[in-house]
Amino acid sequence: MSFEFATAARIVFGARRLEEAGSFAKAWGHRALIVTGQNPLRAKRLMALLADSGVSSVPFAIEGEPKVSTVQMGVSKAKEAECELVISMGGGSAIDAGKAVAAMLTNEGELLDYLEVIGRGQTQTRPSAPFMAIPTTAGTGSEVTRNAVLSAPEHRLKVSMRSQWMLPGLALVDPELTHGLPPAMTASTGLDALTQLIEPYVSSRANPLTDPICVEGMGRVARSLRPAFNDGHNPAARHDMAVASLFGGLALANAGLGAVHGLAGPIGGMFPAPHGAVCAALLPHVFEMNLRALRQRQPACEAVNRFETVARLLTGKPAAKAEQGSDWLRELVNDLRIPGLSAYGLSPAHTSEVVSKAAKASSMKANPLVLTPEELSEALEHAL
């Protein structure tokens, strides 16, 4: 057995821990680039806390998922303002953008030097500028991962910038920042978190360190995603989902993902579809297809037992069979009103292109077995 585990240098979790952000930041410098979603006013409290600690703020708002050009603008702004550190406060998009900006503040050359697929994929040689990640959604786990996913619209692709140096210096997770998250956002990000717990658990790279993290996280989602969806200010449910999201990030960064994310990457590059919503629509169908393929081709594989464990955790039934996990996921997706992928413009005419791109995706490498193009196509078309 061989594995490694890498994560943020420090993780701080708990209600009202945001109040400590200023004291953490001042140890790194006196001027911070604050990366947010499109409404920088949501970081008003953070900027006040920084000011109280003698750290000035330079806001940088992004709209939607970050593009390559977004990061380039952020780097220019940070350099012009002589920022010493970067703080992202928002969802996965803001955190990924901040990670990439922090990396480019210290590494020579241009962004394309370090991008996979469309760039030169060079290895970063220097640690990123000090970077703090403060998530305000519970889904991506980006606060503890080593990569940033960027959109390249001209290529109709999403690509990654990846390095051990990109792990945040501090992940500050305050569940209270997710209170009041709209139901649709709660649903899509929550199902993204669940996907990022299931896929590492059944992956070919699963290991004894990530396994208990996944098990704990799945149990929390099973009991709390519906309550969080129905009442955005339910503190216990929001706490559970924040833990689950964090654990999903820890798991995926160290045990890999699978076919849900393998398909979601190309779809996100080709269509204006939010990543979490795409994963949510795909999850029940890919789960079912993986299980069916395992039973047909590798019935004695350990992964089959893992699918049964997932089903028991989700349903709360000690004797549940793996197929009951598929049923539970399908019911959850329906209850949370997740739209099919056709809502974003996908049709059967796109299946071949998506599947062809997905087969080359890095996320696909850890799927518990290699799915055929026909199997991937069937799962994708069921998600339409």
Side-chain angles (χ1 to χ4, degrees):
M1 181 178 296
S2 176
F3 64 91
E4 66 174 84
F5 192 93
T7 189
R10 185 177 183 184
I11 299 170
V12 173
F13 183 99
R16 295 178 296 282
R17 297 301 297 267
L18 177 66
E19 301 300 308
E20 301 169 52
S23 61
F24 292 136
K26 72 178 181 180
W28 287 342
H30 300 286
R31 187 180 294 271
L33 183 77
I34 310 298
V35 184
T36 68
Q38 60 184 0
N39 183 5
L41 292 178
R42 292 177 182 168
K44 185 177 179 180
R45 177 60 183 160
L46 169 64
M47 289 188 278
L49 291 166
L50 294 174
D52 289 345
S53 295
V55 179
S56 60
S57 300
V58 179
F60 178 61
I62 68 170
E63 186 171 350
E65 296 182 346
K67 303 179 181 65
V68 172
S69 58
T70 306
V71 173
Q72 292 168 331
M73 288 187 289
V75 172
S76 295
K77 187 165 188 176
K79 287 182 175 178
E80 289 169 6
E82 298 182 342
C83 294
E84 300 160 280
L85 63 145
V86 179
I87 303 176
S88 284
M89 184 175 185
S93 294
I95 294 174
D96 277 6
K99 270 194 275 192
V101 169
M104 290 309 302
L105 285 178
T106 56
N107 283 276
E108 296 178 352
E110 60 179 0
L111 185 58
L112 282 172
D113 290 336
Y114 303 102
L115 289 176
E116 300 173 356
V117 184
I118 66 169
R120 288 171 278 280
Q122 294 179 5
T123 301
Q124 294 171 38
T125 59
R126 297 178 181 175
S128 298
F131 176 65
M132 184 189 308
I134 306 174
T136 60
T137 63
T140 70
S142 183
E143 66 272 15
V144 288
T145 64
R146 69 186 85 187
N147 71 301
V149 179
L150 308 178
S151 174
E154 64 275 21
H155 298 278
R156 300 180 73 217
L157 290 171
K158 283 187 176 180
V159 296
S160 282
M161 182 178 182
R162 193 186 315 269
S163 172
Q164 61 175 341
W165 299 119
M166 291 177 64
L167 285 162
L170 175 65
L172 196 164
V173 185
D174 184 338
E176 290 191 350
L177 297 178
T178 67
H179 285 208
L181 199 66
M185 182 68 74
T186 298
S188 62
T189 56
L191 281 161
D192 189 19
L194 180 57
T195 304
Q196 292 171 174
L197 292 160
I198 293 174
E199 289 199 307
Y201 186 70
V202 301
S203 87
S204 60
R205 290 171 47 201
N207 66 68
L209 191 49
T210 56
D211 282 352
I213 290 172
C214 293
V215 168
E216 177 70 18
M218 283 186 277
R220 288 176 184 265
V221 175
R223 74 188 182 209
S224 292
L225 180 49
R226 278 190 179 90
F229 176 80
N230 292 323
D231 177 8
H233 292 280
N234 180 320
R238 288 300 189 190
H239 181 277
D240 268 354
M241 291 309 300
V243 172
S245 177
L246 172 65
F247 282 14
L250 294 171
L252 77 88
N254 293 286
L257 289 164
V260 172
H261 280 80
L263 289 165
I267 291 169
M270 295 167 62
F271 298 91
H275 173 75
V278 173
C279 289
L282 288 166
L283 178 58
H285 309 292
V286 173
F287 185 98
E288 184 174 22
M289 183 56 69
N290 268 325
L291 180 58
R292 192 171 86 192
L294 284 166
R295 289 207 186 279
Q296 290 173 349
R297 300 200 291 277
Q298 300 178 31
C301 178
E302 167 62 19
V304 174
N305 295 329
R306 287 175 174 267
F307 274 89
E308 295 211 329
T309 299
V310 172
R312 291 164 185 165
L313 288 166
L314 297 181
T315 64
K317 298 176 180 177
K321 296 299 182 184
E323 285 75 11
Q324 290 175 264
S326 300
D327 296 339
W328 189 92
L329 288 169
R330 194 176 295 106
E331 183 179 349
L332 178 66
V333 165
N334 288 334
D335 289 349
L336 301 189
R337 301 193 288 275
I338 297 296
L341 297 178
S342 60
Y344 306 107
L346 274 79
S347 73
H350 300 109
T351 299
S352 178
E353 182 179 2
V354 171
V355 168
S356 176
K357 290 180 176 179
K360 304 169 189 173
S362 59
S363 294
M364 198 67 81
K365 295 176 182 177
N367 203 59
L369 81 169
V370 177
L371 294 174
T372 67
E374 293 75 21
E375 288 167 338
L376 289 170
S377 297
E378 184 180 338
L380 175 58
E381 292 185 0
H382 280 309
L384 295 176

